[in-house]
Amino acid sequence: MARGVQSHRHRCRCGPFVGADENRRGKPASRAPRETGWSPDRGDRQFRHRRAASRRGTIGGRRTGHAAHIARSRPQARAGDGPSAREFRRWLRAHLRCLARTGRSGRFADRLSRAPQSAGEERGRSSAGRYRCDSSHPSGRLRADGSADAGGAFRADRQRRHPGRSACSGQAGAGDARSDGTARGGRDRRRADRRHRHRHHSCCSRAPAGRAEALRALCPEGLPLWRWHRLEEDCGEHFRFPDGARTVKICTVGLGYIGLPTAAMLASRGHEVVGLDVNESVVDAVNAGQAHFQEPDLQMLLSASVETGRLRATTNAESAEFFLIAVPTPLVEGNGPDMSFVEAAARTIAPVLEKGNVVILESTSPVGSTERLADIFAEERPDLVFPRYRDEDRDADVALCHCPERILPGQMLRELVSNDRIIGGLTTACANKAARLYQSFVMGTCYVTDSRVAELCKLSENAYRDVNIAFANELSVICDTLGTDIWQVRELANQHPRVNILMPGAGVGGHCIAVDPWFIVSSAPDEARLIRTAREVNDDKPRRVVQSIAALADRFKSPTIACYGITYKPDVDDVRESPALEIVEAVAELDGAQVLVVEPNLDALPASLAGRENVRHATSDEAREAADIVTFLVGHRQFKRLEADSYLSKAVVDTTGMFSTRKAKAVERD
Ligand SMILES: NC(=O)c1ccc[n+]([C@@H]2O[C@H](COP(=O)([O-])OP(=O)(O)OC[C@H]3O[C@@H](n4cnc5c(N)ncnc54)[C@H](O)[C@@H]3O)[C@@H](O)[C@H]2O)c1
C-alpha cells in the first residue's frame, strides 16, 4: 500500500465480506486489492480459489463458463468482489423485513437486543415462546418457536419438501424463529461455523449462545450462515461513532442517481437522513416514497426508509452532523468542469453548519475542488475555522472530505455496500471522521488519504476506462476501413493470455466516463495528451456509425431505419450523453429517412426526438417488419433474445456485437 494511504477496516480483521467464491482473499492478510505485483505464489493461490469456485458453478456470483475461462487464462483477472446480486437481494429483503418489523430503525442490533443474551436466559424465555433451545437437536441448537415437537415436525416436513435446501429463514418475527439450518445437513452448518470461527473476528465467536442463535434465526433462506454473519457483523451491528452513538443525522444534498440511493441506504442502516434538493418534484416524490428513476431494489428500500420515518426530503437546508454533497458536475462549453452546482450547494448548507460537522463532497470533481469548498465555507462562515490542505496542526471546526462515488447504475445498492471507498480528507483528522460514517454501511475497505489523491483517483479510473474503450473503438473503425470483422479480431486477440481488448460500441456515454477525463485534461492540458486523444476518438465514434448507416441508406429511396436502443448503456433508462441518442438524432436528418426507435427502457421518446415527424417509438416486432436498415446501438438484454435469423434479409449495422455470427473455430490437435 502506498505511503500515506491508510486502510480503515471494520473491527473484523478478516476484511469485508469474504465470500466462498472469492478468489483473492484466502486469508485476512491477503486482503490487498490494490496489489499490482504478480507473484507465482499469489497466482497459484488465486488459481486454486478460482478453480474451486468454478467447480461450485459460480465466480463472483455469475455462472462460470466464461468467467472460469478468464480466471484460468488470466490470473490477474479479478472475479467479482462481495456478495453476488442474488445474495445481496436476499440480504436486502431480510434487512427490510427487520426494518418493517421493528417499526423503528430496523437495525439488526435492535432485534438482537431483544434476543436472549445467554443460554440461561434463553431457557428462561423458552416458555415465553420466542426462542427455544432444542436439546434434541444434534448440536443442541435453537430450532423453532413454540413447541419442540411442532418445530421438529416443521423441520422434518420442510426437509421432505425441499431436500438440500437450508431451513434457515428470514421469517424471524415473534413466534416464528426457525433456525435449525439443517436442510443441507448438520455437516454444512458445522463447516460454515468452523469457517466462521476461523475467519471471523473474535467478538462474534465469543458471542453468547443466545445471540448466536438469534443471528442464525435471522439468516435469510438460502444464504450461507457465515455469510450472513459477515454481512450483519461487518455492517453496523458493532458499529459505534466515537461518542458511542450508533446513528447520526445526515443531510444528503442532491437526490439524484447518487444522492437518493445513498440516502435510502443510510436511512436503512438506522441513520436519520434528510434529503435536500432544489427540485420540488423530486422532493415530493421522495416524501411519497417514490423513486424518480429506475434502479433495482431502490423502490423497496426507499419506501421502507420513508415509511419508518428515517428518510424525508426538503428544499430547505437544516442542521445535521454529516453533509453529503452529490450534485451534478457537468461540462461547460469547451469541456471545462461546471462546478456551479457544487458551489451553490455549499452556499446553501453554509448557514446551518455547526462546530463538529463533517462535509463530504461525493460529486466527481477536478483536483482542488475540496479546497475550493473550504474557501467558500470560509467566505460564508467567518465564525468557523475550516481545514486547509494537509495542514494537520490547524484546529478546524468542520471536517471536509472528498469521497468519490464509483457505483454502477443497475447495481447501485449492491455496490454502495460492497465497494471499497476512497476517503480523501483535507487533513487526516477530516478523513478519519468521514470514514466513521462509511464504516456504518460499507462492507468494503475504506482507504483514507488526502483530498487531492481522492479527486484524481476517481478521475483516473474513468480516464483509464475511456482510454481502453477508445482503443477498441479505434480498432473497430480500422477494421471497417480494412474490411475485417472486428468481433473476430477481438475474440482471437483476446485468446492471448495478456490481452484483453474491450468491446467497441457506438461511442462512450453517461455522465462519468464521457465527462471525467476532461477534468484531467482541463487541469493539465499539455500533459494529458493520451487522455485527450482517447476522448476525441470516443466522441468521434457516433459520427462513424452514422456514416455507415448513411452509406446503406443511399441504396434506398426512402429508407425505414430501425434503431435499437437510445440509452447511454444497456439496461438503464438514462439518455444523458448517450452516443446512441446522438446517432438517432443524426439518422433522423438523413434524406427521406423514417426512423423507428426501439427502446424498452423508456415509455416515451426524449424531447430531442419526440417533436420529429419522421421518428416514432416502436416495438421490436413492428421495427423488424417495417425496416430496410436495422441498427443495433445498445445491447439491452431484451435485444439479446432476438432471433438473429429474422434480420438476415435486412441491412444491419451492429455496434454491439450481439449479431456477430462469424466465429473462429478451434482446431483440435491430434
Ligand atoms: N450517476 C452516476 O452513475 C454517477 C456515478 C458516480 C459518480 N457520479 C457523480 O455524482 C454526482 C451526482 O450525479 P447524479 O447522477 O446523482 O446527478 P443527478 O443529476 O442525477 O442528481 C443531482 C440532483 O442534485 C440536485 N441539485 C442540483 N443542484 C442542487 C443544489 N444546489 N442543492 C441541492 N440539490 C441540487 C438536482 O435537482 C438533482 O436532483 C456527479 O458529480 C456525478 O459525476 C454519478
Side-chain angles (χ1 to χ4, degrees), residues 79-90:
D81 289 341
S84 69
R86 228 164 121 201
E87 284 171 342
F88 177 75
R89 190 159 297 173
R90 271 192 211 131

Side-chain angles (χ1 to χ4, degrees), residues 406-409 411 415 457-473 500-504 507-510 512-517 520 530-531 534-535 537-538 568-570:
R406 300 126 101 199
I407 53 181
L408 190 70
Q411 32 188 300
E415 293 207 355
C457 238
K458 162 79 189 188
L459 303 181
S460 309
E461 289 161 10
N462 283 341
Y464 170 85
R465 299 199 56 214
D466 198 45
V467 169
N468 281 283
I469 298 169
F471 179 85
N473 279 339
N500 186 14
I501 301 172
L502 301 185
M503 291 282 278
V508 172
C512 288
I513 301 181
V515 172
D516 302 350
I520 301 183
L530 178 63
I531 295 172
R535 255 326 28 254
V537 167
N538 286 332
Y568 86 90
K569 65 173 236 169

Side-chain angles (χ1 to χ4, degrees), residues 425-437:
L426 278 184
T427 63
T428 311
C430 293
N432 286 339
K433 283 183 185 165
R436 299 298 295 166
L437 179 67

Side-chain angles (χ1 to χ4, degrees), residues 253-259 276-279 282 326-329 341 344-345 348 362-364 405-407 409 412 458 511-512 576:
V253 188
L255 290 171
Y257 284 84
I258 295 298
L276 170 65
D277 203 293
V278 287
N279 187 336
V282 168
V327 296
T329 45
F341 296 95
T348 307
E362 286 212 350
S363 301
T364 309
E405 188 49 84
R406 300 126 101 199
I407 53 181
M412 283 182 157
K458 162 79 189 188
H511 24 266
C512 288
R576 291 182 292 176

Side-chain angles (χ1 to χ4, degrees), residues 164-180:
R165 195 163 155 198
S166 166
C168 277
S169 166
Q171 308 299 312
D176 61 357
R178 27 178 208 269
S179 56
D180 50 14

Side-chain angles (χ1 to χ4, degrees), residues 508-574:
V508 172
H511 24 266
C512 288
I513 301 181
V515 172
D516 302 350
W518 286 120
F519 292 3
I520 301 183
V521 175
S522 67
S523 306
D526 294 333
E527 292 76 14
R529 288 181 298 160
L530 178 63
I531 295 172
R532 180 202 297 275
T533 307
R535 255 326 28 254
E536 286 165 358
V537 167
N538 286 332
D539 277 353
D540 189 47
K541 186 69 197 290
R543 188 182 65 81
R544 299 277 186 170
V545 178
V546 174
Q547 269 180 1
S548 313
I549 300 171
L552 292 175
D554 276 349
R555 299 187 202 159
F556 301 88
K557 232 183 190 168
S558 173
T560 300
I561 305 171
C563 297
Y564 281 68
I566 52 169
T567 58
Y568 86 90
K569 65 173 236 169
D571 306 324
V572 296
D573 62 351
D574 193 345

